[in-house]
Each structure stands twice: as structure tokens, then as C-alpha cells.
């Protein structure tokens, strides 16, 4: 997943980060995790566990307005799933610098996933599937993700 230049973050990202900066951080020296069988199993476990526990529900119904980012407890939409997956991986010791919130579109609809940078490629943890895939093997059109080099910034993804 090659990036070039800056991109605008989703507007709700900044409000969420003001209340929970640790979950928005990309600070750290590790740019790609060495993916061992144990770490691969952790990724799969977190992805499936969050997808199973959290019920998908649009922000308009759960929060009363569109595009509210937060840490879900029982329901949420795509970015809430991605945030919870990041939180759980951070608790397991994964570096924030390799866990990047990423925005994409599919059929004109916006979507957020968690991209995990590894030595085996950029892997996508998605609430729409239990499978963890290389970003290039999904149907999404990716356009921006958190910057690894500048905390709080977002970078444009080259198509």
C-alpha cells in the first residue's frame, strides 16, 4: 500500500482522538511487524472475536447522528470495529505504528478498516469478513490512512 502526500482525515476522527488519543496514535519505530505464526493467530482471533461480539449498526441509529467514532461495547459501525480491533491488538503488545485506520470505498459507499503493516504485506481486518486479506486482494478502493511518520496526520493512498 503505497502512500503519497497528505489526505484529510474523516471529520469525526479528530473529535474521537481528542477524547482518546492513545487509540489514534501511530507513534513508534516498528513500521512492519514480523508476522510469526503466533502473531498471525492473534490477528485472526481479534478479528473474529470483535466481528462476533459487536453488532453492526449505523451511527444514525446507535448515536443519533451520522459519523460518530468510538470504542464500541455491543454495537457500532465499520470505524468502531476498526478502533476496537486496534485497541485489542495494542493491549496484546502490538505497536501502534503498524496499526493504521484506513478509509476506502466500495460501490460509492465509504468504509473504514484496520490495516496492519507486516513483513508479509499490508493486511486488512474488516468487520465484513472473518478472513484477513492483503489489501490488494480486496474489492475496496483505498484512498487514505493514518500516517506512520506523522502522528495525527493522514496520507493519501496511491491507486
Amino acid at each position: 500500500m503505497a502512500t503519497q502526500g497528505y489526505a484529510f482525515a474523516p471529520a469525526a476522527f479528530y473529535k474521537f482522538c481528542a477524547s482518546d488519543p492513545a487509540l489514534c496514535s501511530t507513534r513508534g519505530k516498528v513500521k512492519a511487524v514480523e508476522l510469526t505464526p503466533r502473531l498471525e493467530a492473534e490477528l485472526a482471533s481479534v478479528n473474529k472475536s470483535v466481528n462476533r461480539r459487536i453488532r453492526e449498526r449505523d451511527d444514525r441509529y446507535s448515536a443519533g447522528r451520522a459519523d460518530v467514532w468510538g470504542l464500541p461495547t455491543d454495537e457500532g459501525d465499520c470505524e468502531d470495529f476498526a478502533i476496537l480491533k486496534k485497541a485489542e491488538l495494542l493491549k496484546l503488545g502490538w505497536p501502534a505504528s503498524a496499526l493504521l485506520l484506513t478509509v476506502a470505498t466500495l460501490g460509492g459507499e465509504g468504509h473504514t478498516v484496520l490495516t496492519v503493516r507486516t513483513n508479509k504485506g499490508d493486511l486488512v481486518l474488516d468487520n465484513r469478513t472473518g478472513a484477513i486479506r492483503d489489501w490488494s486482494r480486496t474489492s475496496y478502493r483505498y484512498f487514505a490512512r493514518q500516517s506512520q511518520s506523522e502522528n495525527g496526520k493522514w496520507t493519501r493512498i496511491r491507486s
Side-chain angles (χ1 to χ4, degrees):
M1 189 179 283
T3 60
Q4 177 180 334
Y6 293 109
F8 289 106
F13 170 79
Y14 295 108
K15 186 172 184 179
F16 170 69
C17 292
S19 66
D20 204 336
L23 288 178
C24 295
S25 175
T26 58
R27 294 189 195 283
K29 294 180 181 178
V30 176
K31 298 303 179 194
V33 172
E34 184 76 28
L35 199 58
T36 64
R38 180 183 65 80
L39 293 179
E40 203 165 357
E42 281 183 5
L43 278 183
S45 176
V46 166
N47 193 52
K48 287 178 184 172
S49 172
V50 170
N51 287 355
R52 196 176 310 122
R53 288 190 336 257
I54 304 301
R55 181 171 55 111
E56 186 166 4
R57 186 171 167 107
D58 189 277
D59 286 333
R60 288 178 291 239
Y61 303 107
S62 61
R65 57 187 158 81
D67 204 24
V68 177
W69 288 38
L71 195 58
T73 54
D74 60 349
E75 65 183 22
D77 62 1
C78 58
E79 71 274 351
D80 304 323
F81 279 80
I83 290 166
L84 182 56
K85 290 173 187 183
K86 182 173 183 171
E88 292 195 2
L89 289 168
L90 288 170
K91 285 180 190 171
L92 292 171
W94 286 69
S97 53
L99 304 173
L100 308 173
L101 299 171
T102 305
V103 290
T105 58
L106 179 63
E109 181 183 325
H111 189 57
T112 304
V113 296
L114 181 65
T115 300
V116 180
R117 306 232 41 223
T118 76
N119 64 315
K120 295 182 180 178
D122 293 342
L123 305 179
V124 172
L125 279 66
D126 190 352
N127 65 302
R128 293 179 176 170
T129 179
I132 295 173
R133 295 188 207 136
D134 185 271
W135 74 279
S136 65
R137 298 185 191 271
T138 70
S139 301
Y140 298 122
R141 181 181 172 275
Y142 295 90
F143 59 93
R145 74 172 186 205
Q146 291 181 284
S147 170
Q148 281 190 297
S149 58
E150 293 182 78
N151 196 51
K153 302 278 186 188
W154 283 61
T155 56
R156 188 169 47 88
I157 297 169
R158 288 192 309 222
S159 305

